[in-house]
Amino acid sequence: MVEFAGWSMPVQYKDSHISSHLHTRHQCSAFDVSHMLQTKVYGKDRVKFIESLIVGDIAELKDNQGTLSLFTNAKGGIMDDLIVTKTDQGYLYVVSNAGCADKDSAHMKAKLQEFKVAGHDVDLEYLEESLIALQGPSMAGVLQEGVSDDLNKLTFMSSVLTPVFGIRGCRVTRCGYTGEDGVEISVPPGSVIALMERLLACSQVKLAGLGARDSLRLEAGLCLYGNDIDETTTPVEASLVWTIGKRRRQARDFPGADIIIPQIKAKTQRKRVGLISTGPPIRQHTPILSLDGRIIGEVTSGCPSPCLKQNVAMGYVETSFSKLVCQLYTFQLVGE
């Protein structure tokens, strides 16, 4: 167990980190991600409110559809990544990172006060619900026994309120942080142990901790806030332009738009890329060198890949190197 953002979190359970990683890829694993910040945004101006903070087009979402988005600051930096779901229950359901919980809640509260002073109808509720991620190719078969809704109709980034194995008040969202098919289940805290025991009664499900969660996301090329993206990184540099809605680009009405939009058309000085290396695994802050020994970037995350049987990493390099597949000393640069 380790301390993480004020929580005591499991690095691994009985099985090794590698065993948990591979089990997630081949069957499915349950991750306790209750440390994530869950928020409901109410009021007739809720979409306008959340869009004043993020780059995503929430207005265009269908009911019970969600999207990955980014909180940005006036300088175009990424304050956090989050998922926003437009529910048909009269609120937006927002999940953001535990490590940024205090910052995110303060940021939203400050904007809320500004909106209320201007006469807008919006309010926030911070949830106490637990959050369980069930991830892996066997997920649908395991969970279908416990829900009445047809999971074949629950498409990626869609969400539904439904009892799960008889537990009421659950929200099931088809998303995750592993690169596998999966769901995140928001469950009343008094029922989370019962839910976990029911899931673990299935032989295909095992518990997995932070170690497997990190290697799975890195193997899938997904960013970790604080490592691969932060307030000094713009969405363009981070190769996350796809999170910016087309309407939002045209309107230029999100924080930092005057910096971010010109970067979309012009080249930034650096860009996030994937890396494969030989020898010992490369870790955060390792410099990336060109063949002539010049430092052209820095690694932000790295680990051995249990599935690929080689070292994987990501980092930032000068943009002129970002579209090349070339040998950079011991690092092989994988294209965008």
Side-chain angles (χ1 to χ4, degrees), residues 275-329:
L275 300 161
I276 294 172
S277 70
T278 58
I282 53 176
R283 303 296 187 182
Q284 187 181 25
H285 303 309
T286 301
I288 303 172
L289 310 178
S290 64
L291 286 175
D292 60 6
R294 185 170 63 87
I295 296 176
I296 60 168
E298 184 176 275
V299 173
T300 55
S301 292
C303 73
S305 165
C307 293
L308 299 177
K309 308 297 184 186
Q310 55 187 335
N311 301 322
V312 296
M314 67 174 70
Y316 288 82
V317 297
E318 294 175 11
T319 300
S320 60
F321 288 89
S322 66
K323 293 184 178 181
L324 301 176
V325 177
C326 60
Q327 193 70 29
L328 303 177
Y329 273 85

